[in-house]
Amino acid sequence: MENNQKIAVVTGASAGIGEACARALAADGWTVVLAARRLERLEKIAAEIGGRAVQLDVTDDQAVEKFSAELGACDLLVNNAGGARGLDAIEDANLEDWRWMYDTNVLGTLRMTKALMPALLEANGLVINIGSVAGRVPYVGGAGYNAAKHGVAAMSRVLRLETHDKPLRVCEIDPGRVETDFSLLRFKGDEERARQVYEGKLNLQAEDIGEAVRWVASLPAHVNIDTMLIMPADQV
Ligand code: 8X3
């Protein structure tokens, strides 16, 4: 593998899938820029893997602009920041939760991709969007998150269409149930409810997704993995 210290930006890198991506990429020779809101956690991980921690909220237009202006070169962008809030039926939908899900998952991915696009094109780069099975399959109570992740999927496909003849590759990786803080966030800190999501099941671990990201990013420039659906063996 000859990465020659190429630069990877990973959003939402302070925990879970983002942290696992950062660790897997660093182990494969990438220089990783870890971006997230929780700077203290980021700095600890960055120190362990020889990466760089930058505090960033992907819902903040100006912060994303500033981040990209200061970054310079970028070979790989992993749009991982996102998540779910609530599991309400549509008739009980909480508009604030929906706004947050759209702003983080969809617009966050858009802001980062748009801002880093010049650097990525310059580098013959790669964008990996972390979507979800929820962006393919709707489920009861999932509407806000389903809509957001379907939005990410649509954006990934359009970006692929718009850049297939440019020096940029685009991949979307869609995990199923991964045992992370995802459910704690969805259920707004209700630990018992979050625990029940994973109890007694063959859950994916964040490292499984980190390994997929590492592999996609390790492929030669003529190979584009368009989409990848990764499920725990007992989830269909
Ligand atoms: C979350 C996937 O299967 O837990 O992105 O809803 S699932």
Side-chain angles (χ1 to χ4, degrees):
M1 175 96 34
E2 282 193 25
N3 278 322
N4 292 325
Q5 289 292 300
K6 288 186 172 180
I7 294 170
V9 171
V10 180
T11 66
S14 58
I17 292 174
E19 175 181 351
C21 290
R23 289 185 185 280
L25 289 166
D28 224 8
W30 291 81
T31 297
V32 182
V33 178
L34 300 96
R37 288 168 301 176
R38 293 178 290 183
L39 186 60
E40 219 173 290
R41 294 177 72 128
L42 276 188
E43 281 175 337
K44 188 168 171 292
I45 301 161
E48 284 174 28
I49 66 173
R52 192 151 64 83
V54 182
Q55 189 167 37
L56 179 67
D57 179 351
V58 298
T59 68
D60 182 335
D61 296 355
Q62 279 156 11
V64 171
E65 281 305 321
K66 183 165 174 281
F67 172 84
S68 109
E70 288 171 2
L71 179 69
C74 177
D75 300 270
L76 166 64
L77 169 61
V78 182
N79 281 310
N80 165 74
R85 270 196 192 163
L87 197 61
D88 300 323
I90 290 172
E91 64 181 344
D92 301 318
N94 176 322
L95 288 181
E96 271 316 303
D97 287 345
W98 277 63
R99 271 192 204 97
W100 181 86
M101 286 188 277
Y102 196 83
D103 201 12
T104 310
N105 293 280
V106 184
L107 297 182
T109 296
L110 172 65
R111 287 184 192 93
M112 291 301 293
T113 305
K114 189 175 175 209
L116 298 192
M117 185 78 89
L120 288 161
L121 288 169
E122 179 75 24
N124 201 352
L126 169 64
V127 176
I128 300 178
N129 290 335
I130 304 298
S132 169
V133 64
R136 301 184 184 212
V137 183
Y139 53 86
V140 170
Y145 186 60
N146 286 144
K149 286 301 193 187
H150 276 75
V152 171
M155 190 168 34
S156 302
R157 289 199 291 270
V158 173
L159 184 64
R160 176 89 174 100
L161 288 171
E162 290 177 351
T163 60
H164 74 279
D165 55 356
K166 295 186 176 142
L168 183 75
R169 289 176 293 154
V170 181
C171 171
E172 179 172 305
I173 295 179
D174 293 337
R177 194 185 57 246
V178 186
E179 192 172 5
T180 63
D181 288 345
F182 174 87
S183 294
L184 200 58
L185 177 72
R186 161 166 271 172
F187 298 128
K188 303 174 182 175
D190 184 335
E191 288 179 12
E192 180 53 23
R193 221 174 149 196
R195 196 183 55 76
Q196 284 169 10
V197 172
Y198 306 108
E199 194 175 30
K201 300 188 184 128
L202 299 175
N203 307 297
L204 292 170
Q205 299 302 310
E207 291 72 22
D208 299 320
I209 312 306
E211 170 55 15
V213 165
R214 185 208 63 76
W215 176 73
V216 168
S218 76
L219 297 171
H222 68 283
V223 182
N224 196 98
I225 304 296
D226 283 34
T227 61
M228 200 190 273
L229 176 63
I230 308 177
M231 301 296 284
D234 63 357
Q235 184 186 18
V236 288

